[in-house]
Amino acid sequence: MAPKILIVDDEPDMLQLLKRSLAPDLHCEVHTADSGESALHLLANTSFDLVLADIKMPGMDGLALLEVIRRNHPGLTVVMMTAYGHIDLAVEAMRAGAYDFITKPFEHDTLVLRLEKALERQRLIQENQRLQRQCNGGEEGGFQRMIGKSPSMQRVFETVQMVAKNDLTVLITGESGTGKDLTARAVHRLSNRQKGPFVAVNCPTVPENILESELFGYKKGAFTHATQNRTGLFQEAHGGTIFLDEIGDISPSIQTKLLRVLQEKEIKPLGDVHSIQVDVRIVASTNQDLKAKIRRQEFREDFFYRLNVLPIHLPPLRERVEDIPLLADHLLEKHCRELNKPRKSISAELMGIFQERFWEGNIRELENVIVQGILFSPEETIQPRDVGWHSEQARAATLDTHLKGLAYKAAKEKNLQHFNHAYIGHVLTQYEGNVSRAARFCGLERQALQQIMRRYGIRAEKYRV
């Protein structure tokens, strides 16, 4: 469906000129109003994607119109037009919630470009609202309270739905702040155990000498100060799910005891001579490379393979940049409500920095920045300075982000090169350099395999006998 734009100006010639020129270039449906009052009447009866309004008009001017739009249609994107000598009014309009402004006289191509960006912003807002309406069981925020329209997150959602249907152990991997706790809860809510308890254990926060007794419980007299029997967390999770968060930090001795739970479905409380059967599904998470820990003999290999039955990997925020506007809008609404603050918006400049930043802390770091902006922004629109990023600091942060991003991409590309050389080289050796047979083995078209080989400098002749 073509987007709808409302143009508001008291000059009839300007209205007709803009209507004739913008409709074909933006592939949109253009409506016009010659006053603020007429515009409000149209807005009350028609849904628009964008308002382009002049600031200086008789009667209700553009600023007064903007104020009513922000109050009655808070999600609607507004772009203001102003004469060159009234830039101060345009700045005032931006502070009042306008998305952008453009000065008259303007070049047509420049206007089209600015309006395209405004329409894209409106599309993202509407997409976020649609995701929230589709949320599961009245929960806010998309799929099981997780936000994301990127291909990588859609794969995560599909995987969660698939693994939730059975009762096998799940291992969730991903950097800190990517949403491993939310994912574990989603698996539980979508499983047949949803009516049972969900018990979360943050493994690194519990000392090793206490963790065992917390997990498995103990009998009276098992150790000093054990004055009564204590039920462990596995027993509390009976019939439900236990979530072992950051399991990579537990000691080898606890790993051994958990391995027995996975194998035998039973626990032995400290000081007890009898084992207790438990009906519990284990979901674990880690931000560490467990295979590297296995090589360093810091993690049991047999325990890893018992855990890694159904793996779910959460991508870092830098690999799902298209989700940042949706996440930011969701977090903004959530924390404005929780902090009892009026609904705010994020400036275009700040959103641009958000999408360029490396985000080492991922969604948790983004959330902290947004909370800071809500608390310290004196206006309705959060600017970079409100989160402690002044112009030079923002530029430095952006440069640092680009450098980190380049380093990350370079490392990723290097790993891909090593993998492709090793894998494709092995297959070509097996088929004596025959590209067609190698492609069939890999499940690829010949041309697709040749394209990969050209990209990574792999020559078939090297493998021919």
Side-chain angles (χ1 to χ4, degrees):
M1 184 182 296
K4 291 182 181 179
I5 297 179
L6 174 60
I7 304 174
V8 190
D9 200 306
D10 62 315
E11 299 179 20
D13 291 342
M14 177 62 74
L15 288 176
Q16 291 305 311
L17 173 64
L18 289 173
K19 183 174 184 177
R20 286 197 306 269
S21 59
L22 292 178
D25 286 353
L26 291 173
H27 306 289
C28 63
E29 183 181 320
V30 176
H31 296 246
T32 61
D34 58 7
S35 68
E37 293 83 358
S38 299
L40 290 178
H41 178 73
L42 285 170
L43 285 165
N45 296 282
T46 308
S47 177
F48 288 96
D49 299 286
L50 176 66
V51 174
L52 175 64
D54 193 22
I55 289 182
K56 298 289 286 184
M57 294 185 294
M60 176 182 278
D61 65 9
L63 291 175
L65 173 63
L66 174 63
E67 183 181 352
V68 178
I69 291 174
R70 292 287 294 166
R71 185 169 61 248
N72 297 340
H73 310 276
L76 183 56
T77 300
V78 180
V79 176
M80 308 301 294
M81 297 181 289
T82 184
Y84 182 76
H86 298 110
I87 298 295
D88 55 333
L89 291 176
V91 173
E92 185 180 345
M94 293 284 284
R95 287 176 178 163
Y99 169 71
D100 198 0
F101 73 89
I102 188 163
T103 56
K104 298 178 181 178
F106 40 70
E107 291 186 359
H108 178 71
D109 290 346
T110 302
L111 177 63
V112 169
L113 181 62
R114 302 277 275 276
L115 295 184
E116 283 177 340
K117 289 183 177 178
L119 285 169
E120 174 61 17
R121 185 245 190 191
Q122 185 66 23
R123 188 190 66 77
L124 287 172
I125 291 173
Q126 291 169 344
E127 176 68 10
N128 187 36
Q129 292 170 343
R130 184 188 68 78
L131 285 171
Q132 292 190 9
R133 286 195 300 271
Q134 287 184 347
C135 60
N136 232 314
E139 297 162 334
E140 56 178 39
F143 174 82
Q144 293 291 316
R145 300 175 188 168
M146 295 189 287
I147 299 291
K149 66 169 187 175
S150 61
S152 58
M153 285 307 294
Q154 292 302 313
R155 286 194 292 271
V156 169
F157 299 158
E158 290 169 4
T159 305
V160 168
Q161 288 178 305
M162 179 188 70
V163 303
K165 294 174 183 176
N166 57 67
D167 219 25
L168 298 174
T169 305
V170 177
L171 178 62
I172 305 168
T173 58
E175 297 177 10
S176 293
T178 50
K180 297 188 288 294
D181 179 81
L182 280 178
T183 306
R185 293 177 186 276
V187 170
H188 174 70
R189 282 194 299 269
L190 292 172
S191 73
N192 294 329
R193 295 175 175 267
Q194 58 184 277
K195 294 182 180 179
F198 178 87
V199 177
V201 187
N202 191 341
C203 296
T205 63
V206 184
E208 181 186 347
N209 60 329
I210 298 176
L211 182 59
E212 182 177 356
S213 61
E214 285 292 307
L215 290 174
F216 308 122
Y218 54 81
K219 301 293 287 184
K220 179 180 177 180
F223 50 84
T224 307
H225 305 306
T227 57
Q228 58 185 5
N229 294 342
R230 172 74 179 270
T231 300
L233 295 176
F234 268 93
Q235 287 173 274
E236 289 185 14
H238 186 78
T241 304
I242 190 166
F243 174 45
L244 303 176
D245 193 15
E246 300 304 343
I247 201 167
D249 290 308
I250 65 174
S251 68
S253 64
I254 302 292
Q255 292 174 35
T256 302
K257 291 178 172 63
L258 285 173
L259 179 62
R260 176 179 175 82
V261 178
L262 286 168
Q263 289 173 334
E264 309 296 335
K265 302 296 183 183
E266 63 182 26
I267 62 167
K268 182 181 286 187
L270 292 177
D272 201 342
V273 294
H274 301 292
S275 296
I276 301 172
Q277 290 289 316
V278 287
D279 174 24
V280 176
R281 182 184 197 174
I282 294 179
V283 177
S285 78
T286 183
N287 61 8
Q288 300 187 45
D289 184 346
L290 294 185
K291 289 187 176 180
K293 293 193 69 135
I294 290 170
R295 289 193 292 272
R296 296 193 300 268
Q297 297 185 333
E298 296 172 359
F299 204 85
R300 290 186 57 137
E301 186 172 15
D302 52 356
F303 182 49
F304 169 75
Y305 287 112
R306 281 284 184 175
L307 283 175
N308 197 39
V309 179
L310 296 175
I312 300 175
H313 178 70
L314 299 181
L317 195 52
R318 59 185 168 272
E319 290 183 3
R320 43 181 297 214
V321 175
E322 61 266 55
D323 289 336
I324 289 177
L326 298 177
L327 286 163
D329 191 65
H330 168 72
L331 294 169
L332 198 63
E333 182 177 352
K334 171 188 172 186
H335 288 291
C336 281
R337 184 174 63 251
E338 290 179 354
L339 296 169
N340 197 25
K341 295 286 186 180
R343 183 70 161 88
K344 299 195 177 191
S345 61
I346 295 170
S347 71
E349 182 184 2
L350 183 56
M351 185 60 76
I353 296 172
F354 279 178
Q355 292 182 290
E356 292 174 350
R357 197 170 176 83
F358 193 73
W359 297 115
E360 291 178 273
N362 294 293
I363 301 169
R364 189 178 296 122
E365 184 185 0
L366 173 65
E367 185 170 17
N368 292 341
V369 171
I370 287 174
V371 170
Q372 185 179 345
I374 293 170
L375 293 174
F376 293 112
S377 171
E379 310 289 343
E380 288 186 4
T381 303
I382 303 173
Q383 304 290 342
R385 63 177 176 272
D386 300 323
V387 296
W389 295 342
H390 299 292
S391 304
E392 279 147 27
Q393 289 175 318
R395 281 196 293 272
T398 301
L399 176 60
D400 184 53
T401 287
H402 284 314
L403 291 174
K404 286 179 177 176
L406 288 171
Y408 175 78
K409 288 177 182 175
K412 192 173 181 181
E413 184 67 19
K414 187 175 181 181
N415 287 337
L416 279 172
Q417 186 168 3
H418 283 315
F419 172 79
N420 280 288
H421 267 278
Y423 178 70
I424 295 174
H426 172 74
V427 177
L428 285 170
T429 299
Q430 184 177 344
Y431 291 105
E432 298 179 348
N434 188 311
V435 177
S436 297
R437 294 176 67 193
R440 280 197 297 273
F441 178 84
C442 295
L444 298 171
E445 297 290 334
R446 176 187 171 89
Q447 293 85 347
L449 181 59
Q450 286 177 321
Q451 186 177 4
I452 295 171
M453 290 169 63
R454 282 194 297 271
R455 178 179 176 182
Y456 294 104
I458 302 171
R459 300 177 60 187
E461 307 88 68
K462 178 181 175 182
Y463 301 94
R464 289 182 186 141
V465 178

